[in-house]
Amino acid sequence: MCNQSGGLIARVLEEHGIATVVVQQGLQQPMRIKPPRSLYVKHPYGQPFGQPGDIDQQRTIVEDALALLETVTEPGTITHSPYRWRREDFHAIQRSRGARAAH
């Protein structure tokens, strides 16, 4: 699904009382469409949650996105993910968060 469609769908769901977070790979659409909450990840297109098979990376991105449900209060907020593609030790991040490895 494209960034624009995801943002538009999120806005409609929020209007019906369903909280949403959109993980975006671009900044133009969320800045224009203003979905309620966005997590911007600087990942290659088609891999917003990380590399295929990298469970720790994917879990980290999902956890960060879900945390926005509790922390973002201003509609249209875009939060930038601090992680760089293929430069982070996501297994260590998960270990520090207390998650059990799902390998």
Side-chain angles (χ1 to χ4, degrees):
M1 178 180 314
C2 75
N3 288 324
Q4 182 171 331
S5 297
L8 292 171
I9 291 168
R11 284 178 51 193
V12 171
L13 290 172
E14 291 268 346
E15 289 172 5
H16 288 87
I18 300 170
T20 63
V21 176
V22 179
V23 177
Q24 304 274 352
Q25 291 179 276
L27 286 174
Q28 291 179 351
Q29 282 81 15
M31 289 173 67
R32 188 169 47 90
I33 294 176
K34 300 197 185 312
R37 290 163 215 83
S38 294
L39 177 64
Y40 168 69
V41 292
K42 197 171 182 181
H43 289 177
Y45 280 96
Q47 299 181 355
F49 293 96
Q51 298 180 78
D54 190 336
I55 294 168
D56 292 322
Q57 183 181 25
Q58 295 164 5
R59 181 184 305 247
T60 300
I61 300 301
V62 169
E63 288 174 351
D64 289 357
L66 292 174
L68 298 181
L69 292 171
E70 297 176 345
T71 60
V72 172
T73 57
E74 184 68 31
T77 297
I78 301 170
T79 302
H80 292 249
S81 174
Y83 311 118
R84 296 173 300 166
W85 184 254
R86 294 189 176 173
R87 294 185 183 165
E88 308 295 337
D89 183 350
F90 289 99
H91 185 67
I93 292 167
Q94 284 299 304
R95 243 188 353 261
S96 72
R97 292 182 178 186
R100 291 185 294 168
H103 301 262

